[in-house]
Amino acid sequence: MAFTLMVARYLDTGAAAKFFLLFNISTIASICFRWGLDEVIIRRVASSSREERSIVSNMLLGLAHRRVGLWMAFGLVCALSVNVPVVRSFVPRLSTADLLVVSVASGAMALVACAARVDQGAGRTNLAAFLMNVLVPTLSIAGLLAMAWRRLTIDAFDLMLLYGAVALAVYGLVVLRRYPELAIGRAAVPKTEHDGRADRRSANKLGGVVLAQQVLVWGSMLIVPATYGAAAYNGFIVAQKAATLVNLVMLAVNFTLSSRIAALHASGRKDELRKITRGAVVGVLISSAVVSLGVILIQNHVFKFSKIEPDMDCVVVVLLVAQILFSVSAILSLVLSMSHDEGYLLIAQGGVNILGLAAFTALCLTSKIEVACAAFPVAYLALFIALMLRAKKIGAI
């Protein structure tokens, strides 16, 4: 959130819009590069004994390096293909250098996130949260402020280059230094080939779930600038980041309870699992509503600080409602993923978010942005109902 505000404040409208596009592509790519490994890592580490965790962690991070490496190779091909005239007509504002930096930053962040998931599975939730959500943005803010203090002219590529350098430095510190005996080749497979195949199958399904879960949000980041322009896009991104402050409680609950939920499912303690799930859903619902009121009170200060000109008050309110529903849906999604129900999650998340994106696109082409954003709360309400019914059916709530 703070990084977004600083970018909007210190870069001009065009440069900020381009950086937000590159940054959002990098965020999306980082999640795609991991392709479902997050939940697999948490589940395997949480269900392993203390004696096995070192072996399991190195095996999983070896798998992560192989998977991320393949995705980075694909990113390199995409970067080089920008010079092809046909492709150039679709992405006129992006260069090969832009996409190369995005690919490297995405790969580094993906591997840092995988290492953080190891900590999360082992119950080190504070460290995991710091590595995934705090360290890189904080260092990037420091770099941005240093550039502004030196009165340097900052464009989108310069800032993306800074972000990529920070991501690589953190990768070296968090992954290479903490796991010096990491094996990336085929020797890094689990103790049995069956386990390796099972991990890869689960990761592939959960990767589809993550992609389906983010279809609506990611699609909106591409549709809004094309339909409403750079100024509205910057305002939408800031409004969206302000609304996602509601997710702080949900993220805290997810980080804290994920390994516990995985362990309860593995041991078959359904009564404890139902108690935790119900408490988490009610707690997140109430807390998110309280946080949303605070966001409404500070939204004008946020927009003034970030120099956003379009009126986004209504957009913030609509997105806040959406994020409350998203938060409770995310709790149920976590429970189902830790219960190895990724097949249903893929269908539910994919169906709801694809229909939501179609509705959002149609509304963007025919209505104001405030009206178009109504697709978010409607979609997330439908998702919450679908996941709630499934959780009841399998006895998880």
Side-chain angles (χ1 to χ4, degrees):
M1 175 65 184
F3 187 40
T4 299
L5 295 182
M6 292 297 180
V7 172
R9 180 176 178 84
Y10 288 108
L11 273 68
D12 60 44
T13 300
K18 183 176 180 180
F19 175 78
F20 284 141
L21 180 61
L22 292 172
F23 183 71
N24 287 327
I25 291 173
S26 178
T27 302
I28 294 168
S30 175
I31 295 173
C32 289
F33 285 8
R34 304 198 299 271
W35 198 252
L37 285 175
D38 297 62
E39 288 81 2
V40 168
I41 291 172
I42 295 170
R43 291 189 323 207
R44 285 295 306 275
V45 174
S47 60
S48 300
S49 65
R50 291 183 179 274
E51 294 75 18
E52 294 177 330
R53 280 182 181 171
S54 177
I55 297 173
V56 170
S57 299
N58 277 283
M59 175 275 296
L60 291 169
L61 286 176
L63 173 61
H65 275 78
R66 295 197 301 274
R67 181 160 292 202
V68 171
L70 291 174
W71 277 100
M72 288 184 68
F74 175 73
L76 175 62
V77 172
C78 291
L80 296 176
S81 68
V82 170
N83 294 319
V84 178
V86 175
V87 179
R88 169 61 58 191
S89 63
F90 289 98
V91 286
R93 298 179 61 191
L94 301 183
S95 66
T96 296
D98 289 333
L99 295 181
L100 283 176
V101 174
V102 165
S103 182
V104 171
S106 303
M109 286 304 301
L111 293 170
V112 170
C114 288
R117 294 301 189 185
V118 171
D119 291 312
Q120 189 178 350
R124 297 186 292 268
T125 53
N126 289 339
L127 177 59
F130 177 75
L131 294 178
M132 285 195 69
N133 301 316
V134 179
L135 183 56
V136 172
T138 300
L139 293 176
S140 298
I141 289 173
L144 173 58
L145 291 177
M147 294 169 75
W149 178 69
R150 294 289 301 273
R151 299 185 183 279
L152 299 176
T153 302
I154 310 172
D155 62 21
F157 180 75
D158 293 333
L159 195 53
M160 197 65 215
L161 198 61
L162 168 68
Y163 177 76
V166 169
L168 279 176
V170 171
Y171 164 74
L173 178 67
V174 171
V175 182
L176 296 182
R177 185 174 180 181
R178 294 178 67 199
Y179 299 93
E181 298 178 359
L182 180 67
I184 300 175
R186 282 293 171 184
V189 297
K191 288 182 291 186
T192 67
E193 184 60 27
H194 172 74
D195 288 340
R197 290 195 298 269
D199 282 340
R200 289 192 290 272
R201 284 197 299 268
S202 295
N204 287 335
K205 288 182 180 179
L206 288 167
V209 170
V210 172
L211 183 62
Q213 186 181 42
Q214 300 297 329
V215 160
L216 179 53
V217 174
W218 293 346
S220 69
M221 292 177 181
L222 300 177
I223 293 168
V224 170
T227 52
Y228 297 109
Y233 181 54
N234 291 347
F236 175 76
I237 293 296
V238 172
Q240 190 179 60
K241 291 296 182 182
T244 55
L245 289 174
V246 168
N247 298 151
L248 289 175
V249 179
M250 177 270 291
L251 290 172
V253 170
N254 275 7
F255 263 89
T256 304
L257 296 183
S258 57
S259 58
R260 176 66 174 164
I261 291 172
L264 288 175
H265 172 77
S267 60
R269 289 179 281 176
K270 287 292 183 71
D271 289 339
E272 292 183 54
L273 178 59
R274 283 191 289 269
K275 184 177 179 180
I276 285 180
T277 304
R278 290 168 183 168
V281 169
V282 174
V284 166
L285 182 62
I286 295 173
S287 301
S288 297
V290 173
V291 173
S292 68
L293 294 177
V295 173
I296 291 174
L297 292 176
I298 67 169
Q299 62 177 327
N300 289 331
H301 300 289
V302 170
F303 288 127
K304 183 178 180 180
F305 177 82
S306 53
K307 298 181 180 179
I308 299 299
E309 297 180 0
D311 184 3
M312 290 286 170
D313 291 355
C314 291
V315 172
V316 171
V317 173
V318 173
L319 292 179
L320 282 171
V321 175
Q323 289 303 315
I324 292 173
L325 294 169
F326 176 81
S327 291
V328 290
S329 298
I331 296 294
L332 296 175
S333 183
L334 172 71
V335 172
L336 292 177
S337 66
M338 294 301 156
S339 300
H340 298 256
D341 199 13
E342 49 262 23
Y344 180 83
L345 273 176
L346 182 58
I347 296 172
Q349 294 276 11
V352 170
N353 281 283
I354 289 172
L355 290 175
L357 180 60
F360 180 78
T361 304
L363 290 171
C364 282
L365 295 174
T366 58
S367 308
K368 295 181 178 180
I369 191 170
E370 295 87 349
V371 177
C373 287
F376 283 89
V378 173
Y380 292 144
L381 176 60
L383 181 62
F384 172 71
I385 294 172
L387 297 183
M388 175 69 78
L389 293 175
R390 183 65 174 185
K392 284 185 176 180
K393 184 175 180 180
I394 67 171
I397 192 170

